[in-house]
Amino acid sequence: MHCVRTIAPDVLYVGGSDRRLALFENIYPIPRGVSYNAYLVLDEKTVLLDTVDKSVGERFFENLEYGLQGRMLDYVVVNHMEPDHAATLSELLRRYPDVEVVGSVKTMSMIDQFFGLDLSGHSRTVKEGDTLISGHHTFTFAMAPMVHWPEVMVTYDTTEKILFSADAFGTFGALGGNLFADELDFQGQWLPDARRYYANIVGKYGVQVQSLLKKAAGLDIAMVCPLHGPIWRKDIGWFVEKYQRWSTYTPEEKGVFIACASVYGNTENAAEIVAARLAENGVREIALYDLSQHPVSDMVGEAFRFSHLVLAASTYNNGIFTPMENLLLDLKAHNFQRRTVALIENGSWAPQSGKLMAELVGSMKEMTVLQNTVTLKSTAKEDQRAALEALADALAADILS
Ligand code: FEO
């Protein structure tokens, strides 16, 4: 049964949410689910903006059929060809064989790559600044390569001032009833998933996101319709400011992300001593995690949030205990940069993790590693308390300055 909502005059939400998928892109846990947004504009011509993942395909086609009310579908704008949006495109073309496909030149070649479809005669390749007039509405297209794939573009409806932003401004989390961010406790309940989505999906492409933000700044935007998560029509500037920070690798909070990779809890004990001293110094933004207990994608999000990091890891097989190594490799892969880092290493016979963590952190851009790394041999000893506290004092002084 269809489940359609009108979000603006002539504009319907025809997407759906998946609350069963465990791993988005088969890697990122999504305990709150995910939505695959698609939008239908009913004008003199009908325009569909993107399709959906296969998992919500049945609902999407019911929604589309209901929204069209027997009319033909004239255009499908493909802003992004990743299968979480485009897996149902070939089925759409089978059901609506006369539809004209609108997309970038790379989108057209990807349609061929994915589906082996011949679109000749019913495709329209668009480039920066091209327009599509559906009657009352005029759409303009802006290329947004690598936000998050090379073929990506965004579509601006100059009539309703809606930016169909593809993956940009997306968020993990299924939608249920309320579609607009201002109808939800976004800051309290959605922001961590928005940050985690940004950091893990487009975090690597800060330069390209900056380029898109510059283009968007030149538009009069009343509504942002992303391909995942809530729609924005109020406080858009607040979310844009988050994107400004994330895409320039600027922390949101002056505080400390303390990441522990501890086999038996002794490394974690040292980290707790640092956390306690930070608190005594007046640092209030402290988040201490046992990396073994959290998906690495959550930790990447937290790293993006904070200005300072304490990395505390055991030595393991003469390397870095795996949960920490995984986090650092993931942060490097996402172009993480511009932070201050303190290190705690542990090793019962040959501590190596400090040197190896410093090498990995040093391979990232504009990272400052404090020199006073603390080395534990199996456990923190009372005569090491001063060194741990000195580490915390140095961090606190930097944070509170
Ligand atoms: Fe939601 Fe890059 O796809």
Side-chain angles (χ1 to χ4, degrees):
M1 176 73 83
H2 63 82
C3 187
V4 169
R5 279 195 60 196
T6 299
I7 59 166
D10 313 328
V11 185
L12 305 182
Y13 179 91
V14 292
S17 285
D18 185 347
R19 300 173 186 82
R20 295 185 173 188
L21 183 69
L23 297 175
F24 183 79
E25 288 187 0
N26 212 13
I27 188 167
Y28 303 116
I30 44 168
R32 297 176 62 247
V34 66
S35 75
Y36 303 105
N37 301 342
Y39 306 92
L40 177 64
V41 179
L42 298 168
D43 201 354
E44 289 170 28
K45 300 282 187 183
T46 57
V47 183
L48 175 67
L49 291 118
D50 289 290
T51 50
V52 296
D53 185 78
K54 270 195 180 138
S55 64
V56 296
E58 185 179 358
R59 188 73 60 246
F60 163 71
F61 284 114
E62 288 170 345
N63 288 348
L64 183 59
E65 189 177 343
Y66 173 81
L68 287 169
Q69 292 285 309
R71 296 181 62 187
M72 69 179 286
L73 180 62
D74 295 298
Y75 299 105
V76 55
V77 176
V78 181
N79 285 308
H80 188 11
M81 258 307 290
E82 192 168 4
D84 58 328
H85 310 291
T88 45
L89 182 62
S90 60
E91 173 64 13
L92 181 94
L93 299 178
R94 194 188 67 73
R95 293 184 185 218
Y96 301 91
D98 297 324
V99 69
E100 188 169 340
V101 179
V102 181
S104 67
V105 63
K106 282 199 172 65
T107 290
M108 298 307 169
S109 67
M110 280 192 180
I111 289 172
D112 189 33
Q113 276 177 213
F114 274 101
F115 304 122
L117 285 173
D118 178 12
L119 294 179
S120 51
H122 59 115
S123 67
R124 182 184 297 207
T125 302
V126 294
K127 57 185 187 319
E128 184 79 20
D130 281 357
T131 60
L132 172 73
I133 298 171
S134 60
H136 179 55
H137 294 253
T138 299
F139 301 92
T140 66
F141 305 103
M143 300 301 119
M146 300 319 298
V147 187
H148 124 251
W149 276 21
E151 86 297 355
V152 171
M153 64 180 196
V154 299
T155 301
Y156 179 61
D157 175 355
T158 61
T159 309
E160 291 296 332
K161 304 187 191 315
I162 300 174
L163 180 67
F164 297 95
S165 62
D167 272 349
F169 303 108
T171 306
F172 290 137
L175 294 169
N178 292 309
L179 296 179
F180 294 97
D182 58 89
E183 297 172 331
L184 304 162
D185 178 11
F186 193 89
Q187 201 160 342
Q189 295 192 358
W190 287 76
L191 179 57
D193 261 341
R195 183 188 299 111
R196 193 164 69 89
Y197 172 88
Y198 177 87
N200 289 280
I201 304 300
V202 281
K204 179 180 171 64
Y205 306 111
V207 170
Q208 292 85 352
V209 172
Q210 277 286 298
S211 163
L212 177 58
L213 290 176
K214 286 194 180 81
K215 290 181 187 182
L219 301 173
D220 179 11
I221 297 173
M223 192 180 290
V224 177
C225 290
L227 288 177
H228 300 286
I231 298 163
W232 290 81
R233 62 183 173 186
K234 292 183 183 168
D235 301 325
I236 294 172
W238 177 84
F239 203 30
V240 169
E241 198 271 340
K242 293 289 181 199
Y243 261 65
Q244 287 286 2
R245 283 183 184 271
W246 296 335
S247 60
T248 54
Y249 307 94
T250 304
E252 285 169 80
E253 301 193 28
K254 279 198 129 188
V256 192
F257 167 49
I258 304 179
C260 304
S262 183
V263 183
Y264 291 106
N266 295 310
T267 309
E268 185 178 1
N269 175 232
E272 285 175 324
I273 291 167
V274 170
R277 181 71 168 192
L278 283 166
E280 285 170 2
N281 273 304
V283 178
R284 294 291 163 256
E285 299 299 336
I286 304 169
L288 191 157
Y289 294 95
D290 178 341
L291 295 181
S292 300
Q293 303 302 318
H294 299 275
V296 69
S297 61
D298 284 17
M299 299 296 92
V300 169
E302 286 296 80
F304 267 69
R305 182 177 152 209
F306 285 107
S307 58
H308 292 66
L309 282 68
V310 173
L311 306 177
S314 312
T315 302
Y316 199 73
N317 290 328
N318 211 30
I320 308 168
F321 186 36
T322 324
M324 178 65 77
E325 186 177 37
N326 288 344
L327 172 63
L328 293 177
L329 290 174
D330 223 352
L331 287 172
K332 183 173 166 56
H334 289 91
N335 209 11
F336 185 69
Q337 51 188 275
R338 301 182 64 198
R339 297 300 197 274
T340 299
V341 179
L343 301 173
I344 300 170
E345 66 172 350
N346 198 350
S348 290
W349 58 95
Q352 282 290 316
S353 49
K355 177 173 81 79
L356 297 172
M357 286 192 289
E359 284 172 7
L360 265 175
V361 172
S363 70
M364 302 174 202
K365 292 178 195 156
E366 295 187 54
M367 300 292 273
T368 303
V369 181
L370 299 183
Q371 291 307 303
N372 34 351
T373 296
V374 177
T375 300
L376 312 177
K377 295 291 284 286
S378 302
T379 63
K381 311 298 186 294
E382 195 52 44
D383 63 6
Q384 290 187 296
R385 183 174 293 277
L388 291 167
E389 291 182 347
L391 195 69
D393 291 348
L395 283 168
D398 201 38
I399 290 164
L400 301 172
S401 62

